[in-house]
Amino acid sequence: MNTPGHSINAANYDQDWSLGDMLGVIDTAELLRCLQGVLEADFSIEDDQGKCLLGSSLDTSLPRKAISVELEDIGFLVASAEPKQLELAHSLFMSQLKIAQKYLMASTLHLAAVQEDFQNLQNQNEALEDSQRKYKLLNQQLEARVNQQVLKMQQANLQLYEAQRQSSVGQLAAGIAHEINNPIGFMASNLRTAKMYLNRLLNVAELLNERTVDDELNEAWHENNTPHMLEDFQELLDDCLEGSDRIARIVADLRLFSNLDAEESSYTALDSLLRSTADIAKIQAEGHKGVNLQLQEVPPVLCKPGYIGQALLALLMNAFEAVSESGEVTIALTQADETVRISIRDNGPGISSIDLPKIFDPFFTTKEIGAGMGLGLTVCRDIARAHGGEIEVHTSPSGTEMCLWLPLNARLNETKT
Amino acid sequence: MAEFDATRNRLTIKLVYYGPAQSGKTTNLACLHSVLRPELKGEMMTLETKGDRTLFFDLLPIGLKAKTGLFVKIKLFTVPGQVAHDSTRKAVLSRADGVVFVADSQLNQETNNQASFENLTANVARVGLNLENLPLVVQFNKQDLEHISAREDIEQKWQGTPWPVMFSSALKGEGVVETLRALLGVLYQRLNERYSLAHAHFLDQSQFVDQLLGQAVES
């Protein structure tokens, strides 16, 4: 069988094939030779319209035999031959035709199946590529998100570190200020007393100068150049007083330093600030876990987060120190009209009525010297006021509540706290 | 899709024998070829196969002529049952006007039957046919063998479905003609709705079925 000479692309395998279709896939030269050999006469293969497809066109009156495929006559074999020869030639032709039909049907069906398989493969390939693209995109998004998270964590760590650093620097500075303040206090006081004593001695010296009481005493007085010494003594004391005043100023500066450098104001989410501050406080309180956070959602507040954080840290540390290990500290954040209220409540023994009026005084502390700053609440109140807010104290033998009020639309007092 | 050629007054119908590999689809056709005595019966075309397996399809054309000259040609096809030949199976199924699902009654073939039926429903949808409108008869073949599912179980299982269930032994020629008769009955209803066979061609259901089956000797 030859390669089919016509296209079967658009065909259906189950269609009715015409005689022409089938002859198209037969080696007609060979068939022609065989039919001629059997018939030994001119012959014609006609389709159902009488058109000659093979052999030579012949008279319609000649003997003919129908070519029937699938119950239908689709053409005729016409030849001027004996019936027996015609029969034989018909059989020969039909056997070739059946093979041709099988070939046509099988190849058409096969083509359809292959195209279908190919199409399926292409679809699968497309789906695969699609999913690959999606995964790639997802991967990229994931990577970006991981990077974002890493950045966030780094920033949070940095903030934490910075807050801790600020806190410890503040503590150190305040501690040093406190330690120096006491000795410089009594030094200055003693120097003033010494100067007073010296003035009295000068009065006595003047009497000695005017009168000659005793030659031996006069000689000794002038031999040691005492008048000049007394004059110098005055200057020495003045210099020392000036020095102690300078030390006192340095201590005051240290206080300023402990309150951090000037910081930019920003809209701050107080709840996260409270959380991170609570974390720092917990670390510093060493193992104290009883912190209860009751944080409402409030709008971001324009403030200097470093200062506010420091104030909160000081309040929290006080609260931790007021309660025993099993005690509880509650941090609440609420909003009332145009203000936010941060409440830090402990269930400790409360503040005594003697101490209560003094707690905001600078250097007032109930702690052992060196353990506390004595500046905590003072600084806290300064910070609150600098933000247009205030600190309130409510205390009873069953606990203390410190409330830090901040206005929502703060007009920051730009003077240093 | 039945094809009506008005100029030649001819209606061409395609019926497909579907089912798992070696359930007896070709045997069904061979049996029909030998027992049917229709008015018009063509030769059965089988494409050479290896080891009893249909590679492409088998084809048996049968036909009838109505009094009005209407020529009804019915082409009976089988599909290849092997799972691997799904594209061929799908191509054979396309444009079908009715389906005989030939299941293998043997107990160990239940899974194959089910997989093949699911494949049929999937392919019916893929070639754009609607299972609800498609004339379908289910045939449980190989009833002559031992170790087969009980008829009651099969009937119970298929009870809720709209499809008639037939039992057969194609090798012994039992139930094969009955199966085709059942399918032709459903098919006639559909054709009559569309082509008014009874009205326009004086062809009622029993004439339609009997002329096509040729009152074959049924065992």
Side-chain angles (χ1 to χ4, degrees):
Chain A
M1 206 177 295
N2 275 348
T3 315
H6 67 286
S7 166
I8 51 173
N9 275 339
N12 288 326
Y13 81 99
D14 55 357
Q15 72 180 48
D16 289 322
W17 302 96
S18 73
L19 198 53
D21 289 334
M22 288 186 264
L23 284 174
V25 297
I26 295 176
D27 181 353
T28 44
E30 185 67 13
L31 183 62
L32 210 63
R33 203 174 59 78
C34 291
L35 287 174
Q36 265 166 352
V38 173
L39 290 166
E40 295 176 313
D42 285 345
F43 70 94
S44 166
I45 304 284
E46 292 174 356
D47 66 9
D48 51 354
Q49 308 297 314
K51 185 185 167 198
C52 174
L53 299 176
L54 200 67
S56 42
S57 213
L58 293 173
D59 189 345
T60 49
S61 62
L62 284 170
R64 57 178 54 224
K65 198 161 167 58
I67 297 164
S68 181
V69 171
E70 282 185 16
L71 313 173
E72 287 177 281
D73 296 342
I74 58 168
F76 294 93
L77 170 61
V78 187
S80 54
E82 294 300 312
K84 200 179 166 185
Q85 282 173 306
L86 192 64
E87 178 73 35
L88 208 59
H90 181 261
S91 287
L92 176 70
F93 183 75
M94 286 309 292
S95 70
Q96 286 294 304
L97 207 62
K98 270 180 217 161
I99 294 169
Q101 189 195 2
K102 273 190 195 180
Y103 173 79
L104 272 177
M105 291 181 79
S107 57
T108 317
L109 182 65
H110 181 64
L111 200 69
V114 166
Q115 276 171 347
E116 166 84 14
D117 283 341
F118 181 68
Q119 190 59 47
N120 284 344
L121 276 177
Q122 269 191 329
N123 290 348
Q124 278 173 10
N125 191 40
E126 267 170 39
L128 205 68
E129 278 177 0
D130 208 39
S131 100
Q132 259 179 344
R133 268 197 296 276
K134 273 183 197 155
Y135 273 112
K136 210 170 157 183
L137 197 71
L138 199 70
N139 195 28
Q140 284 170 347
Q141 285 172 344
L142 220 64
E143 214 172 279
R145 274 169 61 183
V146 166
N147 287 342
Q148 245 173 23
Q149 286 296 319
V150 167
L151 206 68
K152 249 190 202 172
M153 278 161 69
Q154 279 175 344
Q155 280 171 346
N157 269 339
L158 205 67
Q159 278 171 1
L160 198 70
Y161 168 76
E162 195 62 24
Q164 271 178 325
R165 192 185 67 83
Q166 286 169 355
S167 157
S168 50
V169 166
Q171 252 178 359
L172 183 70
I176 290 169
H178 180 79
E179 292 298 326
I180 293 175
N181 217 48
N182 276 340
I184 208 65
F186 65 72
M187 271 172 68
S189 167
N190 289 355
L191 282 169
R192 281 190 187 92
T193 310
K195 206 178 160 187
M196 192 179 77
Y197 291 169
L198 184 63
N199 282 336
R200 288 187 195 164
L201 280 175
L202 282 172
N203 290 338
V204 178
E206 242 171 272
L207 285 177
L208 274 175
N209 266 342
E210 287 165 6
R211 298 175 206 174
T212 309
V213 182
D214 180 348
D215 285 343
E216 205 179 338
L217 186 65
N218 264 342
E219 200 176 324
W221 179 262
H222 287 286
E223 209 169 276
N224 285 309
N225 199 10
T226 307
H228 175 73
M229 196 169 70
L230 283 173
E231 206 177 309
D232 198 34
F233 200 176
Q234 249 177 329
E235 271 179 41
L236 287 179
L237 283 178
D238 281 343
D239 285 353
C240 283
L241 265 174
E242 199 187 308
S244 68
D245 282 347
R246 265 177 66 192
I247 292 174
R249 272 206 307 280
I250 291 169
V251 168
D253 285 348
L254 263 182
R255 244 191 70 203
L256 281 181
F257 173 69
S258 73
N259 281 336
L260 315 174
D261 295 321
E263 189 196 8
E264 287 298 310
S265 300
S266 65
Y267 282 100
T268 307
L270 289 179
D271 54 343
S272 58
L273 183 64
L274 274 168
R275 276 195 193 86
S276 57
T277 311
D279 288 341
I280 299 168
K282 269 198 265 185
I283 292 164
Q284 295 200 342
E286 284 178 346
H288 202 293
K289 296 285 188 287
V291 179
N292 187 9
L293 290 168
Q294 297 172 348
L295 308 180
Q296 260 183 21
E297 262 195 37
V298 301
V301 173
L302 184 64
C303 66
K304 295 182 172 180
Y307 285 102
I308 297 291
Q310 201 199 0
L312 292 171
L313 183 64
L315 294 178
L316 266 172
M317 292 307 292
N318 281 347
F320 277 137
E321 272 154 23
V323 299
S324 56
E325 284 270 316
S326 58
E328 211 179 27
V329 174
T330 304
I331 304 172
L333 173 63
T334 49
Q335 183 187 350
D337 296 326
E338 289 303 299
T339 53
V340 289
R341 180 176 179 271
I342 300 164
S343 151
I344 293 167
R345 201 170 64 241
D346 64 62
N347 57 359
I351 303 168
S352 77
S353 54
I354 303 164
D355 290 339
L356 190 59
K358 296 182 274 184
I359 57 168
F360 288 112
D361 293 350
F363 309 116
F364 174 78
T365 180
T366 57
K367 298 162 198 164
E368 282 177 18
I369 288 176
M373 337 174 193
L375 277 166
L377 286 176
T378 319
V379 174
C380 289
R381 192 177 57 185
D382 288 347
I383 291 171
R385 286 179 177 170
H387 285 83
E390 188 55 90
I391 286 186
E392 283 173 18
V393 194
H394 310 282
T395 186
S396 76
S398 59
T400 303
E401 184 185 24
M402 304 293 287
C403 288
L404 172 60
W405 292 86
L406 290 173
L408 264 179
N409 298 305
R411 284 189 58 197
L412 282 182
N413 179 359
E414 288 303 328
T415 55
K416 277 194 173 180
T417 54
Chain B
M1 186 73 79
E3 197 182 304
F4 182 65
D5 184 341
T7 55
R8 298 166 77 173
N9 200 18
R10 187 185 64 173
L11 184 61
T12 309
I13 308 293
K14 176 176 174 180
L15 301 180
V16 173
Y17 281 67
Y18 209 94
Q22 294 191 298
S23 64
K25 298 175 289 294
T26 302
T27 316
N28 256 276
L29 243 59
C31 173
L32 288 171
H33 182 246
S34 67
V35 305
L36 290 191
R37 296 287 176 268
E39 285 186 344
L40 300 160
K41 179 170 74 172
E43 285 184 52
M44 177 164 166
M45 175 191 287
T46 58
L47 282 148
E48 283 72 13
T49 60
K50 262 194 174 173
D52 261 5
R53 304 214 155 186
T54 302
L55 204 54
F56 291 101
F57 58 86
D58 304 306
L59 166 61
L60 174 66
I62 58 176
L64 72 82
K65 268 227 151 81
K67 289 168 189 141
T68 54
L70 173 74
F71 174 41
V72 179
K73 178 158 85 172
I74 297 192
K75 297 182 180 186
L76 305 175
F77 280 97
T78 63
V79 298
Q82 274 69 40
V83 175
H85 294 156
D86 194 45
S87 297
T88 310
R89 192 159 45 243
K90 187 189 143 195
V92 173
L93 183 67
S94 58
R95 299 176 295 278
D97 298 296
V99 170
V100 174
F101 181 76
V102 183
D104 191 327
S105 301
Q106 293 180 97
L107 282 168
N108 59 6
Q109 293 298 309
E110 271 184 40
T111 318
N112 287 343
N113 289 337
Q114 197 181 331
S116 178
F117 194 82
E118 278 165 15
N119 175 255
L120 169 65
T121 57
N123 274 340
V124 160
R126 280 161 72 199
V127 299
L129 295 171
N130 188 345
L131 198 63
E132 281 180 30
N133 305 332
L134 184 70
L136 173 67
V137 173
V138 178
Q139 180 195 68
F140 272 83
N141 195 22
K142 305 196 185 179
Q143 286 289 308
D144 52 313
L145 294 183
E146 288 175 17
H147 307 299
I148 57 172
S149 300
R151 285 195 182 198
E152 301 78 54
D153 291 349
I154 293 169
E155 273 165 351
Q156 202 185 354
K157 201 171 161 186
W158 289 82
Q159 209 171 27
T161 72
W163 308 300
V165 176
M166 315 296 289
F167 296 92
S168 69
S169 168
L171 263 182
K172 296 193 168 178
E174 292 166 5
V176 172
V177 176
E178 267 313 310
T179 303
L180 183 57
R181 184 186 293 280
L183 182 63
L184 289 176
V186 186
L187 176 70
Y188 177 84
Q189 303 292 337
R190 296 287 145 75
L191 293 177
N192 193 32
E193 280 166 25
R194 202 161 150 197
Y195 301 107
S196 315
L197 295 183
H199 241 84
H201 299 280
F202 312 109
L203 191 64
D204 67 18
Q205 183 172 333
S206 61
Q207 284 170 323
F208 177 79
V209 176
D210 289 343
Q211 283 187 44
L212 281 170
L213 300 181
Q215 276 145 358
V217 192
E218 284 177 47
S219 42

